[in-house]
Amino acid sequence: MATSAAVRAATTRDVPAVAALHRQHLLYHVQFDERYLPRDDVDYEALYRAHLRRRDTAVFVALDGRELVGFALNRLRDLPPRGWLQQLFVPAPVLPP
């Protein structure tokens, strides 16, 4: 159970943990659609470093104490103006019963 839960903007130091959670997220979806199988030719850390540099993307992390336990990837578009939550993942063992 969380001792001190928090959400904050991701930093480059978070990228390895976020990339690992992204792979877990893909593996969760494989049970429904095998097209989500993580690809060996994709550098997920490079993908999230690139997301952090984009002006139209925001990455947030969820913390349980000091442990990074989840992430959210948000996208923004100018025309028409809109934003959406593209991905949100917190593994089940972290969630309260």
Side-chain angles (χ1 to χ4, degrees), residues 16-71:
V18 171
L21 284 169
H22 181 92
R23 288 183 68 83
Q24 285 183 32
H25 189 212
L26 291 173
L27 289 170
Y28 168 79
H29 282 287
V30 166
Q31 65 186 315
F32 307 109
D33 186 338
E34 65 184 35
R35 291 178 293 175
Y36 285 96
L37 189 66
R39 294 176 34 190
D40 292 332
D41 64 330
V42 174
D43 181 344
Y44 293 102
E45 289 189 24
L47 176 71
Y48 277 90
R49 282 191 298 277
H51 282 318
L52 289 176
R53 289 190 299 269
R54 293 178 62 114
R55 289 185 36 195
D56 65 349
T57 303
V59 181
F60 294 94
V61 293
L63 303 168
D64 181 359
R66 292 181 161 208
E67 182 182 3
L68 196 153
V69 296
F71 76 95

Side-chain angles (χ1 to χ4, degrees), residues 2-21:
T3 54
S4 61
V7 174
R8 63 166 171 76
T11 68
T12 54
R13 295 179 99 175
D14 299 319
V15 165
V18 171
L21 284 169

Side-chain angles (χ1 to χ4, degrees), residues 82-93:
R82 66 178 187 248
W84 67 93
L85 178 62
Q86 184 169 329
Q87 293 184 32
L88 173 66
F89 184 66
V90 178

